[in-house]
Amino acid sequence: MSTFSFTISSSDVTAIKGTSGAAFEATADRGMSRASKHRILTAKFGDGYEQRVLDGINTKDDSFSLSFNNRSAEDINLIAAFFDSKAAKSFDFTVTDTFTGGNLSNRTMKVVCDTYNVVYLRENFHSLTCNLRRVYEP
């Protein structure tokens, strides 16, 4: 089964909650979307002729839209606090979508959370949507 998730380490959970806690696996709901675009430099000439070349080493821009619907307020608040703690910092995001020898396999990539929104459904249940952007770094 495909998974779209990131792990909040036990040290991050402890820092966020102020008490010791176990690692938390944040698995997104079904229906995640992925937008991909290649950065291409194009030179256009007057006669309709054009030349194209990829712009840089890592030319593929990926962004992911995820949702965590109808989760406990504690879980949503933990995810939101994690995104706040990772502002301008990357974290690992795992996607199961790569075919290797005809089988699905996991691919982990570095992402940053550009934006997120929390919807307060009821006192104890909230939803969160977020946009993650792939970054290339060691």
Side-chain angles (χ1 to χ4, degrees):
M1 180 175 190
S2 298
T3 61
F4 313 104
S5 64
F6 56 90
T7 301
I8 302 174
S9 70
S10 59
S11 61
D12 283 336
V13 171
T14 300
I16 291 167
K17 288 186 171 183
T19 61
S20 63
F24 179 80
E25 183 76 16
T27 302
D29 293 344
R30 291 182 180 178
M32 177 189 85
S33 68
R34 175 183 190 167
S36 298
K37 180 181 179 183
H38 288 278
R39 286 188 317 279
I40 299 171
L41 294 175
T42 305
K44 294 185 179 189
F45 302 97
D47 59 357
Y49 180 77
E50 70 179 35
Q51 290 179 324
R52 294 162 307 282
V53 66
L54 294 175
D55 182 17
I57 297 171
N58 299 307
T59 62
K60 186 176 180 184
D61 292 330
D62 287 319
S63 62
F64 303 88
S65 294
L66 291 89
S67 60
F68 303 88
N69 291 315
N70 299 315
R71 309 281 178 101
S72 71
E74 181 180 2
D75 288 354
I76 294 298
N77 291 335
L78 177 63
I79 294 169
F82 175 74
F83 289 154
D84 290 340
S85 74
K86 293 295 183 182
K89 299 176 190 168
S90 66
F91 56 94
D92 289 335
F93 178 59
T94 303
V95 177
T96 306
D97 72 342
T98 305
F99 285 97
T100 305
N103 298 317
L104 286 174
S105 64
N106 290 337
R107 179 174 25 158
T108 301
M109 60 189 77
K110 297 279 187 186
V111 296
V112 294
C113 180
D114 287 330
T115 61
Y116 71 88
N117 297 304
V118 176
V119 177
Y120 300 97
L121 302 170
R122 292 192 309 265
E123 182 179 335
N124 295 323
F125 291 94
H126 305 330
S127 293
L128 182 143
T129 58
C130 64
N131 293 313
L132 306 180
R133 182 175 45 86
R134 184 178 188 181
V135 294
Y136 295 92
E137 56 190 33

